[in-house]
């Protein structure tokens, strides 16, 4: 009777040991090439797997990974995507990210519960920087947006507070007419 728990414990240990050996944790830091300090909120993903994490306020991260050589992909809005190879015997990685001054790798929120990178988007995208709002202050956001996005006609329904706003975007059905 006493041998049964010992046998079960031994089998559980032997069976669980190979499962633990198939994963490892990779730690590291994401830094800005121009700043030299840690970048918070960078997404660190092990390419080809579902393993991913986000860097903390100092740019440090810890992500689970399968054993063997893996590729880490690091993304952050305002920076170019970086990829780093971590060898099978390595457990840490340092990632330096270059600024994306032209915002070529921007993310567009589409309103469909997904986000698409700007270069894969099928539509044109207009961007209004916060600096443009500071230059010409207005009472409401729709008044600030008026004239700043090409192809957008923004009008208030009436002068009454809460009267509503209409936003019309030029598209394929309006290219030749009203």
């Amino acid at each position: 009777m006493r041998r049964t728990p010992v046998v079960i414990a031994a089998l559980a240990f032997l069976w669980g040991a190979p499962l633990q050996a198939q994963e490892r944790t990779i730690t590291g830091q994401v830094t800005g090439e121009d700043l030299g300090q840690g970048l918070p909120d960078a997404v660190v993903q092990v390419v080809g797997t579902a393993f991913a994490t986000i860097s903390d306020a100092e740019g440090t991260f810890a992500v689970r990974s399968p054993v063997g050589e893996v590729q880490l992909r690091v993304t952050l809005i305002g920076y170019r995507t970086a990829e780093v190879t971590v060898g099978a015997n390595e457990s840490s990685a340092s990632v330096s990210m270059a600024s994306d001054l032209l915002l070529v790798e921007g993310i567009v929120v589409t309103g469909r519960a997904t986000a698409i990178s700007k270069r894969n988007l099928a539509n044109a995208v207009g961007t209004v920087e916060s600096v443009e709002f500071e230059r010409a202050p207005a009472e409401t956001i729709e008044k600030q947006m008026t004239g700043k996005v090409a192809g957008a006609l923004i009008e208030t329904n009436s002068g009454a507070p809460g009267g509503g706003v209409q936003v019309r975007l030029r598209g394929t059905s309006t290219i030749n007419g009203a």
Side-chain angles (χ1 to χ4, degrees):
M1 288 268 197
R2 291 189 139 186
R3 289 165 71 176
T4 306
V6 174
V7 172
I8 291 173
L11 288 174
F13 176 75
L14 292 175
W15 187 15
L19 294 177
Q20 292 174 352
Q22 293 177 358
E23 285 185 7
R24 63 181 172 154
T25 300
I26 299 173
T27 59
Q29 185 174 24
V30 180
T31 57
E33 190 176 81
D34 52 344
L35 302 173
Q37 58 184 332
L39 294 175
D41 301 324
V43 177
V44 180
Q45 177 186 9
V46 179
V47 177
T49 70
F51 296 123
T53 190
I54 297 176
S55 63
D56 66 11
E58 288 82 33
T60 59
F61 66 90
V63 64
R64 288 182 14 219
S65 167
V67 295
E69 184 175 283
V70 295
Q71 189 85 10
L72 296 181
R73 179 179 295 135
V74 184
T75 56
L76 181 63
I77 294 175
Y79 291 86
R80 294 192 183 273
T81 300
E83 292 197 2
V84 174
T85 301
V86 180
N89 298 326
E90 297 175 353
S91 63
S92 65
S94 292
V95 182
S96 179
M97 298 186 75
S99 293
D100 185 12
L101 298 177
L102 300 177
L103 297 176
V104 174
E105 295 190 17
I107 301 295
V108 178
V109 178
T110 62
R112 290 190 174 159
T114 61
I116 300 172
S117 66
K118 191 173 180 179
R119 68 177 142 203
N120 294 336
L121 193 63
N123 305 340
V125 175
T127 304
V128 180
E129 299 290 330
S130 61
V131 176
E132 295 181 43
F133 292 131
E134 295 168 2
R135 287 187 199 145
E139 303 86 37
T140 61
I141 188 75
E142 58 268 6
K143 286 184 180 177
Q144 286 185 325
M145 292 289 292
T146 302
K148 291 186 172 76
V149 178
L153 178 61
I154 303 170
E155 300 174 324
T156 55
N157 290 337
S158 68
V165 177
Q166 286 191 5
V167 179
R168 286 187 267 172
L169 300 174
R170 183 180 62 226
T172 56
S173 62
T174 61
I175 199 116
N176 293 328

